[in-house]
Amino acid sequence: MATILKHAVPKSEVTASLAQVRETVTGVIADIRARGDEAVRAYSEKFDKWSPDSFRLTDEEVEKIIASVRQQVIDDIRFVQDQVRTFARHQLDSLREFEVETLPGVRLGQKHIPVRAAGAYIPGGRYPLTASAHMTIVTAKVAGVPRVVACTPPIHGEIPAATVAAMHLAGADEIWLLGGVQAVAAMSVGTDTMRPVNLIAGPGNAYVAEAKRQLFGEIGIDLFAGPTEILVLADDEADPFVCAVDLLSQAEHGPDSPAVLITTSREVAEKTIAEVERLLPGMPTRDFAEPAWRDHGQVHVVDTLDELYALADEFAFEHVEVLTAEPRLALERMTQYGALFLGEGTCVSFGDKVIGTNHVLPTRGAARYTGGLWVGKYLKTVTYQEVTDTDSQALLGRLCGRAARVELFEGHARSGDVRAARAAGDELPWNTA
């Protein structure tokens, strides 16, 4: 049985706030459908105090902005993008196109075709998330997407130079200084100045996530996203200081970011809580991390590792950090997570920023049915069929006729009948001509 030392606020409070977000987003999308660029400009002025002559940066503007970025930052961006690109290429290599002959003259095949245009949303606001440019743009380009449109908002009326550099170096074909619902809607439905895309990827705040949810179906999206989540799994050997630091590393993303500890040690649990309370006052990002921990932090104590892994799977969290004596056991015991971070030498922040795996991951329990963003998300896996052997045509034609008539699909049956007639001279009693 689990003992809960710290509870989160009731889910009903979270649901109520989402309803207001949903209503706002619906109105913005409808307005942009109706008024296009005029509405986009109005919302950019309203939400970001940003209304340049053109939201899209020219090549000359991009070069000038990049020139303002310190060389160490550029070098670091290149290094991290190399890590992301390497991992994405290995993912691509794991996808196999094939053609097989299942019957004489019956060839079935599979191909992977990249979408024609992808939108990459790189959040701004308080934090210039350069790493999201690596995750969304580099991965799309490895997949072979010919046109990648990248959007990021200005920050307090200023151009986020490092983010622009990351977008350019990642391979973005178009860079737009545009954020929020207006960016997602413009990429999705198109305007006079922006051609629409086929798929949008990238994290964002509640409004961005809701815009993607509402537009899904009209365009593809990477996944349904919510606030960043961290789940730390610890045994009695775990260091409470490390547990606390890592919990707060994700709590600083926003005031609604869940940070949860499950441990087999009550001592580790109590000391971790004490360390969090000790560290919080001195955090520069306390205004986000403190309410996140207060309202959405949880601490659970269980009796055994089996209970620990079982409870962890119930959470189905985005990030799961395993601080146990044998962290790789989690690979065998767990099935519901976005990404695992195994052992004290690894941390969620590595995945967020530098290690090369993708940081766009499922939240709000979506890990029950999907993984995170990967190179395959930008690919359409399609099939093709060809029948050239007459005996196989006759066999499949007769089978199709029988199978379709069981389902009362006479039209389907007749398509099969015609193949059998052409291949083997079967009668067509329904053809009175």
Side-chain angles (χ1 to χ4, degrees), residues 18-197:
L18 290 177
Q20 182 180 358
V21 170
R22 186 170 299 121
E23 182 179 353
T24 300
V25 170
T26 299
V28 173
I29 292 174
D31 194 15
I32 291 174
R33 286 189 193 278
R35 297 195 295 135
D37 285 323
E38 181 184 355
V40 168
R41 183 169 297 279
Y43 290 115
S44 182
E45 289 177 341
K46 177 180 179 180
F47 296 127
D48 290 326
K49 306 296 187 291
W50 184 254
S51 183
D53 292 337
S54 172
F55 291 103
R56 180 177 175 180
L57 296 177
T58 65
D59 291 344
E60 293 75 18
E61 288 172 325
V62 170
E63 289 178 7
K64 184 177 179 180
I65 292 167
I66 293 174
S68 72
V69 180
R70 290 186 296 111
Q71 187 60 45
Q72 183 65 65
V73 174
I74 297 295
D75 292 344
D76 290 346
I77 288 172
R78 290 186 186 279
F79 178 86
V80 175
Q81 288 184 352
D82 281 345
Q83 310 317 302
V84 175
R85 189 174 293 108
T86 296
F87 191 73
R89 284 173 175 163
H90 281 293
Q91 288 182 322
L92 185 63
D93 289 343
S94 75
L95 297 170
R96 190 167 66 90
E97 294 188 348
F98 63 84
E99 182 176 285
V100 293
E101 189 171 21
T102 58
L103 293 168
V106 178
R107 283 176 284 276
L108 309 180
Q110 172 176 288
K111 287 176 59 65
H112 303 296
I113 302 173
V115 298
R116 290 186 175 182
Y121 187 81
I122 292 86
R126 173 170 181 162
Y127 302 124
L129 294 183
T130 57
S132 289
H134 320 329
M135 307 301 172
T136 54
I137 302 168
V138 169
T139 308
K141 282 302 182 182
V142 171
V145 178
R147 174 175 171 249
V148 177
V149 178
C151 288
T152 197
I155 300 178
H156 305 303
E158 299 291 331
I159 296 172
T163 303
V164 171
M167 295 158 88
H168 174 73
L169 295 172
D173 300 286
E174 302 173 22
I175 297 177
W176 296 68
L177 287 180
L178 188 62
V181 178
Q182 58 271 25
V184 174
M187 287 191 284
S188 301
V189 306
T191 70
D192 289 340
T193 57
M194 183 188 290
R195 289 182 292 135
V197 300

Side-chain angles (χ1 to χ4, degrees), residues 167-250:
M167 295 158 88
H168 174 73
L169 295 172
D173 300 286
E174 302 173 22
I175 297 177
W176 296 68
L177 287 180
L178 188 62
V181 178
Q182 58 271 25
V184 174
M187 287 191 284
S188 301
V189 306
T191 70
D192 289 340
T193 57
M194 183 188 290
R195 289 182 292 135
V197 300
N198 307 120
L199 180 147
I200 293 178
N205 63 19
Y207 292 91
V208 168
E210 176 61 19
K212 288 167 62 180
R213 190 193 69 81
Q214 291 191 22
L215 290 159
F216 176 60
E218 186 170 347
I219 49 103
I221 64 172
D222 46 0
L223 42 79
F224 296 112
T228 292
E229 304 164 340
I230 182 171
L231 175 61
V232 174
L233 307 181
D235 60 12
D236 57 359
E237 296 184 17
D239 184 340
F241 173 71
V242 173
C243 293
V245 168
D246 290 351
L247 287 166
L248 291 176
S249 75
Q250 298 300 299

Side-chain angles (χ1 to χ4, degrees), residues 251-272:
E252 74 176 355
H253 272 278
D256 53 357
S257 292
V260 178
L261 171 69
I262 305 175
T263 178
T264 56
S265 167
R266 189 180 186 93
E267 181 181 4
V268 168
E270 292 173 345
K271 287 185 176 179
T272 297

Side-chain angles (χ1 to χ4, degrees), residues 397-421:
R398 292 164 187 155
L399 178 60
C400 181
R402 295 193 301 271
R405 288 187 172 99
V406 168
E407 297 178 342
L408 307 182
F409 275 93
E410 182 61 25
H412 286 66
R414 291 180 179 187
S415 286
D417 294 346
V418 168
R419 271 61 190 182

